[in-house]
Amino acid sequence: MICVSIGEKDHNNAINVAALYDFAEIRLDLLERIDNEIVEKIFSSHKNLIATYRKKDGSDTDMKQLSILKTAIEAGAAYVDIDINESNELISSVKSICSATQQDPGKRSTKLIISYHDYNETPSLDFLDKIIIQAESKGADVVKIACTVKKAEHVERLLSIPDYYNSIKVVIAGMGKQGSRVRILSESAGSFFTYASHDMKSCTAEGQLDYKTILEEQKKVVSGW
């Protein structure tokens, strides 16, 4: 399963790009303008979207982030992604809203992704194991591990992670110039899904490949090229 990460500045463009794919992430923090009406419009337009809203600067508060994600959930977001370093209170509040949708047959169920990012390196497996356990304890339905890849050892380390976990879904992503190999091989290694961009001009992370390239490279892996 490939999730296309969309970082359009205009929300109408984001909706139009998302409509081209079965599964997409909307980077709400990259929109030029955002309010609850815009968020409702986006997440009522597609049945399989991830709502991601990273704090951009000191002006973003837990209250604003919670309001945005709550609106996305109520509008029908399939997933919300929140960083593991956010406050326990914020994560707990988002989890509670997600859980309510999972218990209400009249609502579209929303799952919580708790994500960890290391923009400098790929830490040891022991460290990453602790991160995954911590995320699971905070209520994650899915744990995302995104790390900067600097050498082959980092590629192998990230690709080895999903096989260790049966109780929770894990997504792995490689960042940096050498991170693209992780993105190509992650699904075959057991990652719940992998991220791609719409095209190479709209990547939301270094090392990301466009949707078409990911598909082509995955087919090569399957065919044994």
Side-chain angles (χ1 to χ4, degrees):
M1 183 163 60
I2 300 175
C3 176
V4 176
S5 184
I6 299 172
E8 295 287 336
K9 293 182 178 181
D10 179 82
H11 72 277
N12 288 313
N13 289 342
I15 290 171
N16 292 336
V17 174
L20 300 174
Y21 302 99
D22 294 332
F23 185 27
E25 173 193 41
I26 305 296
R27 287 291 305 272
L28 294 168
D29 49 300
L30 299 181
L31 292 173
E32 282 185 335
R33 185 169 70 89
I34 186 169
D35 55 37
N36 288 343
E37 184 178 348
I38 286 173
V39 174
E40 196 281 332
K41 183 178 180 181
I42 292 171
F43 290 94
S44 62
S45 72
H46 194 299
K47 66 179 182 180
N48 203 22
L49 295 179
I50 300 174
T52 300
Y53 187 78
R54 309 284 184 219
K55 287 190 176 77
K56 292 175 286 186
D57 52 47
S59 65
D60 279 347
T61 63
D62 281 7
M63 185 176 296
K64 178 179 179 180
Q65 194 172 16
L66 179 60
S67 176
I68 292 296
L69 293 178
K70 182 174 185 290
T71 300
I73 292 166
E74 291 176 343
Y79 300 88
V80 291
D81 182 323
I82 190 163
D83 194 276
I84 196 169
N85 292 315
E86 294 293 355
S87 71
N88 289 332
E89 292 78 12
L90 176 61
I91 294 175
S92 178
S93 295
V94 174
K95 176 60 181 178
S96 294
I97 300 169
C98 290
S99 295
T101 69
Q102 295 169 20
Q103 296 165 10
D104 186 343
K107 290 186 177 181
R108 189 181 298 170
S109 177
T110 304
K111 299 295 196 322
L112 175 62
I113 301 172
I114 294 182
S115 56
Y116 167 80
H117 298 81
D118 191 318
Y119 296 98
N120 297 311
E121 62 173 352
T122 298
S124 69
L125 283 175
D126 285 345
F127 180 88
L128 293 174
D129 181 60
K130 291 176 182 176
I131 291 292
I132 293 171
I133 292 171
Q134 181 185 0
E136 191 171 12
S137 72
K138 290 174 180 284
D141 297 298
V142 180
V143 181
K144 173 188 171 185
I145 301 293
C147 299
T148 296
V149 174
K150 293 184 175 180
K151 50 188 177 181
E153 179 184 336
H154 291 166
V155 173
E156 298 305 318
R157 187 178 301 167
L158 287 173
L159 292 176
S160 73
I161 290 174
D163 193 45
Y164 283 97
Y165 301 95
N166 296 316
S167 62
I168 192 166
K169 295 179 173 66
V170 177
V171 174
I172 53 172
M175 298 186 293
K177 293 180 180 179
Q178 298 185 54
S180 57
R181 183 163 177 78
V182 176
R183 294 173 184 268
I184 293 165
L185 298 175
S186 62
E187 282 192 273
S188 61
S191 181
F192 182 40
F193 60 83
T194 192
Y195 286 91
S197 61
H198 171 55
D199 55 38
M200 290 308 293
K201 295 180 180 179
S202 58
C203 294
T204 58
E206 188 180 9
Q208 204 171 74
L209 298 171
D210 65 278
Y211 181 82
K212 182 180 179 182
T213 299
I214 287 281
L215 276 181
E216 291 173 347
E217 293 301 319
Q218 286 182 337
K219 287 178 182 176
K220 291 179 183 179
V221 171
V222 171
S223 64
W225 284 21

